Amino acid sequence: MSEFDDDIIASALEHRAGSGALGIDGAYAAVAGRVAATRRRRAAVAGVGSISGVVVLAALALTSVTPDVVQTPSDSVAPSLSSMPATTETPSTSASTTALPTTTEQSDRTSTTSEPATPTSAPSASTPASSVATSAPAGSTPTGSTPTGSSPAGSTPPATTPGATTPPGSSAPATTEPDDTATTEPETSEPETPPTPPFSSRSYSSAGGSITVSWNGAALTLDGTSPASGYTASVEAAEDDRIRVRFDGAQRWQIEVRADSDGVVTSSVSS
Amino acid sequence: MSAERPDFEELFRAHYERLVRALTLVAGDRERAADAVQDAFVKAHLKWRRVGRYDDPVGWVRRVAINKLRDEHRRDGRKRRALDRLSAEPAPFTDAPPHDELGELLDELPPQQRAAVALFYVDRASVAEIARALDVAEGTVKSNLHDARRKLRGVLDNREAAG
């Protein structure tokens, strides 16, 4: 009991507030519909952001790549981070580090330029290109993922900003630059991304479709899925430390993003 | 992890009506209240893996809905005043009583007092929950409830004596 309890006031106010049925089933359906629409919109925005980012970075790559250091796509793969304000690697640097992923074919360079940590992790020019490769581009191998940022090189805004209101503990962390923890072991062939600081959103692609995932430093959030034409997406897991989405179509693809207890976010794509 | 979270639909069905009714008194309009509550539930659903782990997910929804109403109030004061005047008329989809002395008093209450009594007497929220929802101290909520209760009591006692 509270000192303010008053049945008469409560009754009068409840009467005032209306006692008619509110159609809760309809309200729930409306909420579910808005949620679905929001997720579709986010996925679409993420897709557009990724594509435009790739186009912009590809254009940058076209202006800087040198023919004598080009390698085959399968030799180098690298993830690209979302929310990266700009590339930290200059074209001249990429041209001189012959064995780094920055010297790969244009489309792969494209994603590499948005990941400043990876090039700095390469110990020397003798390091095989594959030693800094952590994931394969979509479609190139069945076991690699190609996370692409929603705002690479500052060309587009972040794809999603969930929650306009900011209740306690719900604010999205500010996107920060990746640090040196992105260093990967030589000879690593695991399809995992380097350790990653919080990011607002990042897309992971496969031939069956792509997903957009946020990482706030403590929990992963599946922002949206975008199946390719002829594919359907099924969310198999959406936990704080694991997101797994399956795309069924002509072939079955699966994208999995994990966050380990050290806050290291990794991803894999399989078919 | 997810097993610890309450079911979203269950939470929605348990609290939606009470929240809408309470915020109807705050907003003065059932439809605006329903919009705000639904909007808050949409946001909760989109962040459910996080919000669902909160000690009081309904408190989160309540606060988001109230913040939305506050934002609307700030953004369009003129429109809100018009809606407040319209709130005197029974909405076609409710069986709210015609505007009377109680309605007038509710309209005259400061927004924070009105929100406090609505959340306390209709949403059945505790003083602590109201304080979190309104982002004020519990003492402020108690003061609001005390003042509002005294005024409401006066109106209701007069109505009872007259009736």
Side-chain angles (χ1 to χ4, degrees):
Chain A
M1 284 293 286
S2 163
E3 60 184 301
F4 303 109
D5 282 344
D6 190 319
D7 289 341
I8 295 175
I9 291 178
S11 174
L13 290 177
E14 284 180 0
H15 182 59
R16 180 93 210 146
S19 56
L22 292 177
I24 197 165
D25 288 332
Y28 185 74
V31 167
R34 287 175 62 185
V35 168
T38 301
R39 287 189 168 144
R40 279 196 300 271
R41 189 169 62 246
R42 286 179 178 179
V45 170
V48 170
S50 299
I51 291 169
S52 60
V54 167
V55 169
V56 168
L57 291 173
L60 287 173
L62 279 171
T63 64
S64 61
V65 70
T66 52
D68 59 334
V69 294
V70 172
Q71 298 180 356
T72 61
S74 59
D75 286 339
S76 67
V77 284
S80 63
L81 289 177
S82 67
S83 308
M84 290 294 101
T87 59
T88 58
E89 179 183 333
T90 62
S92 59
T93 302
S94 64
S96 61
T97 53
T98 56
L100 295 181
T102 58
T103 62
T104 61
E105 192 218 17
Q106 292 162 5
S107 61
D108 291 320
R109 259 192 104 267
T110 295
S111 58
T112 304
T113 54
S114 65
E115 169 60 88
T118 303
T120 58
S121 68
S124 71
S126 63
T127 305
S130 60
S131 68
V132 292
T134 54
S135 62
S140 62
T141 70
T143 56
S145 66
T146 305
T148 53
S150 58
S151 58
S155 61
T156 58
T160 57
T161 307
T165 311
T166 309
S170 67
S171 61
T175 304
T176 57
E177 292 282 346
D179 56 24
D180 292 336
T181 57
T183 303
T184 54
E185 291 295 324
E187 306 303 324
T188 297
S189 59
E190 288 296 315
E192 295 179 344
T193 56
T196 309
F199 55 82
S200 58
S201 71
R202 181 183 294 181
S203 292
Y204 298 85
S205 302
S206 72
S210 64
I211 65 173
T212 305
V213 174
S214 299
W215 166 244
N216 65 4
L220 294 166
T221 303
L222 177 60
D223 293 331
T225 62
S226 181
S229 179
Y231 282 83
T232 58
S234 305
V235 179
E236 295 189 328
E239 303 294 336
D240 287 347
D241 59 352
R242 186 167 64 108
I243 302 283
R244 190 170 65 218
V245 177
R246 193 183 72 229
F247 294 98
D248 291 312
Q251 193 176 353
R252 174 175 290 185
W253 289 84
Q254 186 172 278
I255 302 177
E256 184 169 59
V257 183
R258 283 178 174 273
D260 67 17
S261 57
D262 294 323
V264 178
V265 177
T266 57
S267 69
S268 65
V269 173
S270 58
S271 65
Chain B
M1 229 178 290
S2 59
E4 299 168 3
R5 290 194 292 266
D7 179 71
F8 176 83
E9 183 173 353
E10 191 179 314
L11 193 87
F12 180 91
R13 292 184 181 280
H15 295 276
Y16 175 76
E17 280 205 21
R18 275 199 323 207
L19 279 172
V20 171
R21 292 190 200 289
L23 294 192
T24 296
L25 293 181
V26 176
D29 180 273
R30 170 78 63 87
E31 200 160 11
R32 285 182 66 210
D35 278 350
V37 173
Q38 286 186 21
D39 196 55
F41 271 112
V42 167
K43 286 173 178 165
H45 196 300
L46 291 169
K47 303 173 174 219
W48 189 240
R49 283 186 306 104
R50 191 188 326 163
V51 174
R53 286 202 315 270
Y54 290 168
D55 291 340
D56 182 18
V58 176
W60 189 93
V61 171
R62 185 185 291 121
R63 181 166 177 174
V64 171
I66 287 175
N67 283 345
K68 178 176 170 57
L69 291 178
R70 279 179 169 169
D71 290 346
E72 288 178 357
H73 174 78
R74 292 192 190 104
R75 196 166 48 237
D76 193 351
R78 185 174 298 174
K79 181 179 175 183
R80 185 183 178 282
R81 282 193 293 277
L83 288 170
D84 282 346
R85 285 194 295 275
L86 287 174
S87 72
E89 304 297 328
F93 43 83
T94 72
D95 56 355
H99 211 226
D100 56 8
E101 203 175 353
L102 178 63
E104 288 174 8
L105 175 59
L106 281 173
D107 284 351
E108 288 169 7
L109 286 178
Q112 195 167 285
Q113 275 188 26
R114 189 166 60 218
V117 295
L119 294 177
F120 187 82
Y121 292 111
V122 180
D123 191 21
R124 304 290 185 183
S126 69
V127 168
E129 288 169 336
I130 296 168
R132 283 196 294 274
L134 301 181
D135 198 20
V136 297
E138 290 187 25
T140 306
V141 174
K142 288 180 180 177
S143 173
N144 284 329
L145 287 174
H146 182 269
D147 291 346
R149 181 170 179 255
R150 180 172 46 78
K151 294 172 189 169
L152 290 168
R153 255 301 185 182
V155 169
L156 294 172
D157 288 346
N158 286 342
R159 180 196 282 182
E160 196 172 333

